[in-house]
Amino acid sequence: MSNPAFQELLSAYKPIWALNHASAIFEWDSETYMPLEGAKSRGFAQAEIALMKQEHMKNLEQSIIKVQKLPELGDHEKGVLRVLGRELEYYQKVPPWLIEELEKITAQATVVWRTARKKSDFSIFKPFLEKIVTLKQTETDKLGYTGHPYNALLNLFEEDLTTNDVDRMFSGLIPESKRILEKVVSDSIFPSTHPLEEMEYDQDGMKKVNLEVLRFLEMPEQSFRMDVSTHPFTVGMSLEDVRITTRYEGKSFRESMYSVIHECGHALYDLQIDRSLEYTPLAGGTSLGVHESQSRFWENIVGRSLDFTRLIYPMLRSHLTFLSTYDEGEVYRYFNMVRPNSIRVAADELTYNFHILLRYEIEKKLVAGDVLVEDVPSLWNEMMEKYLGIKPRSASEGVLQDVHWSGGMIGYFPTYSLGNVLSGMLLERLQKDIDLGSSVSDGKLNSVKNWLREHVHRWGATYSPKELQEKLFGDQYVPKPLVRYLERKYLG
Ligand code: MG
């Protein structure tokens, strides 16, 4: 990283880093401590920051061109050009009026969506979704694409992802998941309900559990904190300051605990990026799919394993007195209940990807104009019945359950399944080097963290998600390893 032209580009990027940093703190504060009336001025400030960022981005163009002309580029230089090039390309292709229209309509639509969901009335949200879909179709045309128009939107959330990739992934994943799911349900291998779901906990005790979980995961106290919010999330301020949140619903203690483990997976990715990448465009995860693979790896593959349950069981019992009549096997069964459910965020490992497939199919049709917004609720319900045998009882348990569309995030959902599939690929690759089971039962989670740092985290966004997978696995988004893991766990 010594070439003067490259150094100049990195210097020119620093104000953008600082604006991102400020914006991240604003976002974190909005979801945790900000009083309700602060929302309006916070929105104003965030919009101003976004404008400043755009200005600085445009000013980078000349520096980028200079670096592009350099005779030999290393991996870091190429990574920086790739990340900045993508952002710049978006601003060049999508006209300001369209960005502004999308901002305006989505700001309103998220508020309208909340009311529509509360009243379970799709007709309130319908005109907004129609407008959003039309604008996203225009965005697709401006961005350009090869193959399906939805590819233009997929690429915004996961670099170079196409419907071919996603179709291939689901065609290997869904029939196998269905087979395993049917067997688990018909033979009651894992329970579909459990008395611990109804068990109320005291928040102080639960908070102690969560703090102990952070200790098991050896989260670095000096560069990490945990707070409370309605929807758990992770936000990285820098490589040495990452915040997560959880929630306390008062019963079914696993929900709060698994939110912590999931968000810690995201946090570890940011915290283990090589410090030399700080203040550069590479100081973050390479994609949403790879990020989600980290959270799902820790939440499901580590966190819901029998070894981990045994590891934390004595600690759980000391803080949650009602566990005295449940042994570790029973707690493990509670952690791994299998129950087709109409709500995505409440889905288990076996049913989760069906929820994503449904959203993917609908989004593809919407973007191509193959379905009208007014027909989406009935299409949703039909597919729900086809995939999971469930009829949502209301629009709020069906088409209105997720916030994403109201925020204009069409093309985001598939990254959740990419994360699941990648977590399976990581498991098989990691097992070649270390024994995950004994690392977990011995409480040596640092060896797992170190492996992830070495093979995934330290690069930040240096390699695109596809490049990273080629380096690690010699292949991309392959569902087989996840299927093998599910088969072993649920039928083995
Ligand atoms: Mg996540």
Side-chain angles (χ1 to χ4, degrees):
M1 288 203 195
S2 53
N3 186 287
F6 188 62
Q7 288 308 323
E8 193 189 304
L9 177 60
L10 289 184
S11 299
Y13 176 77
K14 281 181 181 148
I16 300 178
W17 183 93
L19 291 170
N20 284 337
H21 179 75
S23 182
I25 294 183
F26 285 0
E27 183 197 332
W28 170 80
D29 173 69
S30 304
E31 302 291 330
T32 50
Y33 296 106
M34 187 182 74
L36 212 59
E37 294 291 328
K40 208 172 133 197
S41 50
R42 181 57 46 83
F44 175 80
Q46 286 283 46
E48 287 297 318
I49 286 190
L51 287 174
M52 285 191 255
K53 245 185 81 177
Q54 259 185 62
E55 274 312 302
H56 281 286
M57 269 312 292
K58 283 186 206 151
N59 295 338
L60 287 187
E61 203 179 343
Q62 289 313 314
S63 313
I64 290 176
I65 292 169
K66 264 194 222 164
V67 176
Q68 276 167 340
K69 284 181 183 153
L70 293 177
E72 261 174 58
L73 296 175
D75 285 2
H76 280 143
E77 286 94 337
K78 281 186 205 157
V80 167
L81 286 180
R82 200 189 84 252
V83 171
L84 292 178
R86 273 170 59 79
E87 214 161 318
L88 196 62
E89 190 189 354
Y90 182 84
Y91 289 126
Q92 283 167 343
K93 289 184 171 173
V94 181
W97 71 263
L98 183 54
I99 296 176
E100 207 185 320
E101 282 287 294
L102 272 165
E103 289 275 336
K104 269 200 243 160
I105 191 82
T106 55
Q108 285 179 56
T110 44
V111 179
V112 170
W113 165 78
R114 257 180 251 147
T115 312
R117 189 171 80 154
K118 205 176 272 169
K119 295 186 175 168
S120 200
D121 183 352
F122 183 73
S123 70
I124 302 173
F125 182 51
K126 195 187 99 177
F128 290 85
L129 185 56
E130 281 169 343
K131 189 84 202 284
I132 288 170
V133 169
T134 307
L135 290 171
K136 294 306 272 186
Q137 286 167 336
T138 310
E139 191 183 36
T140 296
D141 291 335
K142 299 285 181 196
L143 287 166
Y145 53 84
T146 45
H148 200 285
Y150 187 51
N151 289 344
L153 301 184
L154 288 175
N155 175 52
L156 295 179
F157 296 104
E158 187 82 4
E159 189 170 347
D160 289 338
L161 187 71
T162 66
T163 53
N164 286 340
D165 296 320
V166 184
D167 288 340
R168 189 162 29 85
M169 179 184 78
F170 278 132
S171 71
L173 182 60
I174 291 298
E176 295 290 285
S177 301
K178 202 170 172 71
R179 176 178 62 81
I180 300 169
L181 176 65
E182 278 169 0
K183 183 110 180 88
V184 170
V185 170
S186 70
D187 297 3
S188 307
I189 296 169
F190 280 83
S192 62
T193 59
H194 199 281
L196 284 172
E197 280 180 279
E198 296 307 319
M199 207 59 91
E200 291 180 9
Y201 56 77
D202 136 76
Q203 191 166 319
D204 289 338
M206 193 59 220
K207 205 172 169 195
K208 284 184 192 135
V209 167
N210 287 343
L211 290 173
E212 295 269 11
V213 165
L214 298 182
R215 230 160 281 151
F216 276 106
L217 299 179
E218 297 183 57
M219 296 304 286
E221 275 172 41
Q222 301 304 317
S223 43
F224 170 85
R225 63 174 285 138
M226 176 171 73
D227 294 273
V228 177
S229 68
T230 321
H231 299 285
F233 66 93
T234 300
V235 57
M237 312 292 169
S238 74
L239 302 182
E240 286 167 328
D241 178 1
V242 179
R243 324 269 172 103
I244 70 161
T245 65
T246 187
R247 60 179 157 194
Y248 296 98
E249 286 152 318
K251 64 173 193 176
S252 195
F253 76 94
R254 63 174 202 168
E255 320 304 336
S256 180
M257 186 184 86
Y258 281 114
S259 292
V260 171
I261 301 175
H262 179 101
E263 302 307 333
C264 278
H266 283 300
L268 279 170
Y269 191 175
D270 286 344
L271 289 166
Q272 298 206 111
I273 291 172
D274 200 296
R275 291 290 181 274
S276 68
L277 301 180
E278 188 68 298
Y279 313 132
T280 76
L282 305 181
T286 187
S287 75
L288 288 175
V290 178
H291 236 299
E292 194 68 6
S293 75
Q294 300 308 299
S295 55
R296 300 298 267 182
F297 181 83
W298 286 99
E299 177 193 352
N300 290 336
I301 295 179
V302 175
R304 289 183 207 270
S305 68
L306 186 55
D307 291 318
F308 189 75
T309 309
R310 285 185 177 140
L311 178 70
I312 63 169
Y313 178 77
M315 175 279 285
L316 291 175
R317 248 189 87 161
S318 73
H319 295 299
L320 303 170
T321 47
F322 56 76
L323 284 184
S324 60
T325 50
Y326 297 91
D327 64 15
E328 37 188 42
E330 229 8 90
V331 172
Y332 174 67
R333 287 163 62 76
Y334 161 62
F335 286 167
N336 289 285
M337 292 174 343
V338 174
R339 174 174 61 206
N341 189 300
S342 57
I343 306 293
R344 174 184 63 86
V345 295
D348 52 74
E349 283 180 286
L350 280 177
T351 55
Y352 193 92
N353 296 307
F354 289 90
H355 291 269
I356 303 306
L357 173 64
L358 173 152
R359 287 155 177 78
Y360 166 69
E361 294 291 350
I362 292 177
E363 289 188 346
K364 228 174 23 169
K365 285 188 168 47
L366 275 173
V367 173
D370 293 339
V371 66
L372 292 173
V373 167
E374 62 182 42
D375 295 327
V376 169
S378 56
L379 180 60
W380 182 291
N381 293 350
E382 259 167 49
M383 291 174 112
M384 203 57 175
E385 181 135 37
K386 182 176 138 199
Y387 292 145
L388 287 174
I390 287 171
K391 268 192 203 144
R393 284 175 297 185
S394 61
S396 59
E397 287 188 9
V399 67
L400 287 175
Q401 66 182 273
D402 294 307
V403 68
H404 302 61
W405 290 347
S406 71
M409 291 188 279
I410 297 177
Y412 186 113
F413 284 119
T415 66
Y416 292 122
S417 283
L418 300 182
N420 290 333
V421 160
L422 283 167
S423 72
M425 293 172 85
L426 276 171
L427 170 66
E428 288 197 353
R429 179 62 191 80
L430 176 141
Q431 296 271 44
K432 286 183 186 166
D433 296 337
I434 55 176
D435 180 352
L436 182 65
S438 65
S439 301
V440 174
S441 33
D442 297 345
K444 288 187 178 137
L445 295 174
N446 257 340
S447 64
V448 182
K449 282 165 61 177
N450 288 339
W451 190 92
L452 290 170
R453 182 212 314 265
E454 203 49 32
H455 294 85
V456 182
H457 299 165
R458 65 179 169 128
W459 311 109
T462 304
Y463 303 109
S464 76
K466 286 187 173 178
E467 287 167 346
L468 183 68
Q469 290 179 71
E470 284 298 331
K471 257 172 80 80
L472 253 177
F473 315 119
D475 216 338
Q476 300 162 13
Y477 307 117
V478 182
K480 272 255 157 56
L482 180 69
V483 171
R484 281 193 281 264
Y485 155 78
L486 293 172
E487 172 111 37
R488 263 195 321 276
K489 175 166 178 178
Y490 289 93
L491 303 180

PDB file of all heavy atoms in Angstrom, residues 232-234 262-263 266 288 291-293 295-296 299 352 412 416, ligand 1:
ATOM      1  N   PRO A 232     -33.136  -7.039  17.736  1.00  0.00           N
ATOM      2  CA  PRO A 232     -31.691  -7.157  17.946  1.00  0.00           C
ATOM      3  C   PRO A 232     -30.904  -6.841  16.668  1.00  0.00           C
ATOM      4  O   PRO A 232     -31.350  -7.166  15.565  1.00  0.00           O
ATOM      5  CB  PRO A 232     -31.514  -8.630  18.328  1.00  0.00           C
ATOM      6  CG  PRO A 232     -32.840  -9.045  18.869  1.00  0.00           C
ATOM      7  CD  PRO A 232     -33.849  -8.281  18.070  1.00  0.00           C
ATOM      8  N   PHE A 233     -29.764  -6.184  16.822  1.00  0.00           N
ATOM      9  CA  PHE A 233     -28.915  -5.871  15.669  1.00  0.00           C
ATOM     10  C   PHE A 233     -27.465  -5.692  16.111  1.00  0.00           C
ATOM     11  O   PHE A 233     -27.181  -5.612  17.308  1.00  0.00           O
ATOM     12  CB  PHE A 233     -29.407  -4.591  14.953  1.00  0.00           C
ATOM     13  CG  PHE A 233     -29.259  -3.328  15.785  1.00  0.00           C
ATOM     14  CD1 PHE A 233     -28.114  -2.534  15.683  1.00  0.00           C
ATOM     15  CD2 PHE A 233     -30.257  -2.940  16.664  1.00  0.00           C
ATOM     16  CE1 PHE A 233     -27.975  -1.375  16.452  1.00  0.00           C
ATOM     17  CE2 PHE A 233     -30.126  -1.781  17.428  1.00  0.00           C
ATOM     18  CZ  PHE A 233     -28.986  -0.993  17.323  1.00  0.00           C
ATOM     19  N   THR A 234     -26.581  -5.620  15.134  1.00  0.00           N
ATOM     20  CA  THR A 234     -25.169  -5.332  15.388  1.00  0.00           C
ATOM     21  C   THR A 234     -24.788  -4.120  14.567  1.00  0.00           C
ATOM     22  O   THR A 234     -25.194  -4.014  13.409  1.00  0.00           O
ATOM     23  CB  THR A 234     -24.271  -6.499  14.910  1.00  0.00           C
ATOM     24  OG1 THR A 234     -24.651  -7.667  15.626  1.00  0.00           O
ATOM     25  CG2 THR A 234     -22.796  -6.213  15.167  1.00  0.00           C
ATOM     26  N   HIS A 262     -26.190 -14.867  18.045  1.00  0.00           N
ATOM     27  CA  HIS A 262     -26.271 -14.478  16.624  1.00  0.00           C
ATOM     28  C   HIS A 262     -25.515 -13.153  16.391  1.00  0.00           C
ATOM     29  O   HIS A 262     -24.650 -13.062  15.516  1.00  0.00           O
ATOM     30  CB  HIS A 262     -27.743 -14.325  16.221  1.00  0.00           C
ATOM     31  CG  HIS A 262     -27.971 -13.914  14.801  1.00  0.00           C
ATOM     32  ND1 HIS A 262     -28.325 -14.808  13.816  1.00  0.00           N
ATOM     33  CD2 HIS A 262     -27.882 -12.703  14.180  1.00  0.00           C
ATOM     34  CE1 HIS A 262     -28.451 -14.169  12.658  1.00  0.00           C
ATOM     35  NE2 HIS A 262     -28.194 -12.880  12.845  1.00  0.00           N
ATOM     36  N   GLU A 263     -25.834 -12.165  17.199  1.00  0.00           N
ATOM     37  CA  GLU A 263     -25.210 -10.842  16.991  1.00  0.00           C
ATOM     38  C   GLU A 263     -23.711 -10.886  17.309  1.00  0.00           C
ATOM     39  O   GLU A 263     -22.925 -10.182  16.676  1.00  0.00           O
ATOM     40  CB  GLU A 263     -25.930  -9.767  17.804  1.00  0.00           C
ATOM     41  CG  GLU A 263     -27.443  -9.618  17.509  1.00  0.00           C
ATOM     42  CD  GLU A 263     -27.799  -9.410  16.036  1.00  0.00           C
ATOM     43  OE1 GLU A 263     -26.960  -8.878  15.282  1.00  0.00           O
ATOM     44  OE2 GLU A 263     -28.917  -9.801  15.628  1.00  0.00           O
ATOM     45  N   HIS A 266     -21.901 -11.790  14.208  1.00  0.00           N
ATOM     46  CA  HIS A 266     -21.685 -10.609  13.350  1.00  0.00           C
ATOM     47  C   HIS A 266     -20.547  -9.756  13.907  1.00  0.00           C
ATOM     48  O   HIS A 266     -19.665  -9.306  13.168  1.00  0.00           O
ATOM     49  CB  HIS A 266     -22.951  -9.743  13.300  1.00  0.00           C
ATOM     50  CG  HIS A 266     -24.034 -10.273  12.402  1.00  0.00           C
ATOM     51  ND1 HIS A 266     -23.844 -10.476  11.063  1.00  0.00           N
ATOM     52  CD2 HIS A 266     -25.330 -10.614  12.655  1.00  0.00           C
ATOM     53  CE1 HIS A 266     -24.981 -10.934  10.518  1.00  0.00           C
ATOM     54  NE2 HIS A 266     -25.885 -11.027  11.467  1.00  0.00           N
ATOM     55  N   LEU A 288     -23.380  -9.218   2.767  1.00  0.00           N
ATOM     56  CA  LEU A 288     -24.420  -9.586   3.730  1.00  0.00           C
ATOM     57  C   LEU A 288     -24.471 -11.098   3.927  1.00  0.00           C
ATOM     58  O   LEU A 288     -24.661 -11.572   5.039  1.00  0.00           O
ATOM     59  CB  LEU A 288     -25.787  -9.102   3.229  1.00  0.00           C
ATOM     60  CG  LEU A 288     -26.027  -7.602   3.274  1.00  0.00           C
ATOM     61  CD1 LEU A 288     -27.369  -7.275   2.636  1.00  0.00           C
ATOM     62  CD2 LEU A 288     -25.997  -7.102   4.702  1.00  0.00           C
ATOM     63  N   HIS A 291     -21.568 -12.145   6.027  1.00  0.00           N
ATOM     64  CA  HIS A 291     -21.829 -11.691   7.400  1.00  0.00           C
ATOM     65  C   HIS A 291     -22.822 -12.627   8.096  1.00  0.00           C
ATOM     66  O   HIS A 291     -22.626 -13.053   9.233  1.00  0.00           O
ATOM     67  CB  HIS A 291     -22.365 -10.259   7.412  1.00  0.00           C
ATOM     68  CG  HIS A 291     -21.524  -9.345   8.256  1.00  0.00           C
ATOM     69  ND1 HIS A 291     -21.343  -9.563   9.605  1.00  0.00           N
ATOM     70  CD2 HIS A 291     -20.789  -8.247   7.957  1.00  0.00           C
ATOM     71  CE1 HIS A 291     -20.532  -8.625  10.090  1.00  0.00           C
ATOM     72  NE2 HIS A 291     -20.182  -7.813   9.108  1.00  0.00           N
ATOM     73  N   GLU A 292     -23.905 -12.943   7.385  1.00  0.00           N
ATOM     74  CA  GLU A 292     -24.921 -13.803   7.986  1.00  0.00           C
ATOM     75  C   GLU A 292     -24.389 -15.214   8.219  1.00  0.00           C
ATOM     76  O   GLU A 292     -24.844 -15.909   9.128  1.00  0.00           O
ATOM     77  CB  GLU A 292     -26.178 -13.816   7.099  1.00  0.00           C
ATOM     78  CG  GLU A 292     -27.423 -14.389   7.740  1.00  0.00           C
ATOM     79  CD  GLU A 292     -28.031 -13.560   8.884  1.00  0.00           C
ATOM     80  OE1 GLU A 292     -27.542 -12.440   9.138  1.00  0.00           O
ATOM     81  OE2 GLU A 292     -28.970 -14.063   9.517  1.00  0.00           O
ATOM     82  N   SER A 293     -23.412 -15.642   7.429  1.00  0.00           N
ATOM     83  CA  SER A 293     -22.845 -16.977   7.672  1.00  0.00           C
ATOM     84  C   SER A 293     -22.156 -17.014   9.034  1.00  0.00           C
ATOM     85  O   SER A 293     -22.158 -18.037   9.719  1.00  0.00           O
ATOM     86  CB  SER A 293     -21.847 -17.362   6.574  1.00  0.00           C
ATOM     87  OG  SER A 293     -20.618 -16.664   6.714  1.00  0.00           O
ATOM     88  N   SER A 295     -23.019 -15.136  11.756  1.00  0.00           N
ATOM     89  CA  SER A 295     -24.024 -15.142  12.826  1.00  0.00           C
ATOM     90  C   SER A 295     -24.715 -16.500  12.918  1.00  0.00           C
ATOM     91  O   SER A 295     -24.970 -17.015  13.999  1.00  0.00           O
ATOM     92  CB  SER A 295     -25.033 -14.024  12.609  1.00  0.00           C
ATOM     93  OG  SER A 295     -25.618 -14.111  11.331  1.00  0.00           O
ATOM     94  N   ARG A 296     -25.014 -17.095  11.770  1.00  0.00           N
ATOM     95  CA  ARG A 296     -25.706 -18.387  11.782  1.00  0.00           C
ATOM     96  C   ARG A 296     -24.782 -19.509  12.237  1.00  0.00           C
ATOM     97  O   ARG A 296     -25.221 -20.473  12.861  1.00  0.00           O
ATOM     98  CB  ARG A 296     -26.276 -18.707  10.387  1.00  0.00           C
ATOM     99  CG  ARG A 296     -27.270 -17.686   9.899  1.00  0.00           C
ATOM    100  CD  ARG A 296     -28.485 -17.576  10.758  1.00  0.00           C
ATOM    101  NE  ARG A 296     -29.566 -18.433  10.299  1.00  0.00           N
ATOM    102  CZ  ARG A 296     -30.768 -18.493  10.874  1.00  0.00           C
ATOM    103  NH1 ARG A 296     -31.035 -17.758  11.930  1.00  0.00           N
ATOM    104  NH2 ARG A 296     -31.687 -19.288  10.396  1.00  0.00           N
ATOM    105  N   GLU A 299     -24.776 -19.028  16.038  1.00  0.00           N
ATOM    106  CA  GLU A 299     -26.099 -19.256  16.630  1.00  0.00           C
ATOM    107  C   GLU A 299     -26.524 -20.723  16.512  1.00  0.00           C
ATOM    108  O   GLU A 299     -26.906 -21.339  17.507  1.00  0.00           O
ATOM    109  CB  GLU A 299     -27.148 -18.372  15.924  1.00  0.00           C
ATOM    110  CG  GLU A 299     -28.570 -18.602  16.422  1.00  0.00           C
ATOM    111  CD  GLU A 299     -29.640 -17.973  15.527  1.00  0.00           C
ATOM    112  OE1 GLU A 299     -29.281 -17.230  14.586  1.00  0.00           O
ATOM    113  OE2 GLU A 299     -30.829 -18.235  15.766  1.00  0.00           O
ATOM    114  N   TYR A 352     -36.482 -22.511   8.016  1.00  0.00           N
ATOM    115  CA  TYR A 352     -36.132 -21.116   7.721  1.00  0.00           C
ATOM    116  C   TYR A 352     -36.016 -20.834   6.215  1.00  0.00           C
ATOM    117  O   TYR A 352     -36.551 -19.846   5.703  1.00  0.00           O
ATOM    118  CB  TYR A 352     -34.821 -20.735   8.421  1.00  0.00           C
ATOM    119  CG  TYR A 352     -34.576 -19.245   8.408  1.00  0.00           C
ATOM    120  CD1 TYR A 352     -35.010 -18.444   9.459  1.00  0.00           C
ATOM    121  CD2 TYR A 352     -33.971 -18.623   7.319  1.00  0.00           C
ATOM    122  CE1 TYR A 352     -34.826 -17.078   9.439  1.00  0.00           C
ATOM    123  CE2 TYR A 352     -33.779 -17.253   7.285  1.00  0.00           C
ATOM    124  CZ  TYR A 352     -34.208 -16.491   8.348  1.00  0.00           C
ATOM    125  OH  TYR A 352     -34.040 -15.129   8.321  1.00  0.00           O
ATOM    126  N   TYR A 412     -32.876  -8.374  -0.817  1.00  0.00           N
ATOM    127  CA  TYR A 412     -32.117  -8.600   0.418  1.00  0.00           C
ATOM    128  C   TYR A 412     -32.319 -10.015   0.954  1.00  0.00           C
ATOM    129  O   TYR A 412     -31.359 -10.665   1.393  1.00  0.00           O
ATOM    130  CB  TYR A 412     -32.590  -7.576   1.456  1.00  0.00           C
ATOM    131  CG  TYR A 412     -31.819  -7.549   2.772  1.00  0.00           C
ATOM    132  CD1 TYR A 412     -31.047  -6.450   3.119  1.00  0.00           C
ATOM    133  CD2 TYR A 412     -31.880  -8.603   3.685  1.00  0.00           C
ATOM    134  CE1 TYR A 412     -30.354  -6.394   4.326  1.00  0.00           C
ATOM    135  CE2 TYR A 412     -31.191  -8.556   4.890  1.00  0.00           C
ATOM    136  CZ  TYR A 412     -30.436  -7.461   5.205  1.00  0.00           C
ATOM    137  OH  TYR A 412     -29.756  -7.420   6.388  1.00  0.00           O
ATOM    138  N   TYR A 416     -30.067 -14.157   3.485  1.00  0.00           N
ATOM    139  CA  TYR A 416     -30.237 -14.976   4.702  1.00  0.00           C
ATOM    140  C   TYR A 416     -29.951 -16.451   4.396  1.00  0.00           C
ATOM    141  O   TYR A 416     -29.300 -17.142   5.184  1.00  0.00           O
ATOM    142  CB  TYR A 416     -31.656 -14.850   5.263  1.00  0.00           C
ATOM    143  CG  TYR A 416     -32.007 -13.493   5.825  1.00  0.00           C
ATOM    144  CD1 TYR A 416     -33.090 -12.774   5.327  1.00  0.00           C
ATOM    145  CD2 TYR A 416     -31.281 -12.942   6.877  1.00  0.00           C
ATOM    146  CE1 TYR A 416     -33.444 -11.534   5.862  1.00  0.00           C
ATOM    147  CE2 TYR A 416     -31.626 -11.710   7.415  1.00  0.00           C
ATOM    148  CZ  TYR A 416     -32.714 -11.009   6.906  1.00  0.00           C
ATOM    149  OH  TYR A 416     -33.062  -9.791   7.434  1.00  0.00           O
TER     150      TYR A 416
HETATM  151 MG    MG B   1     -28.137 -11.353  11.146  1.00  0.00          MG
END
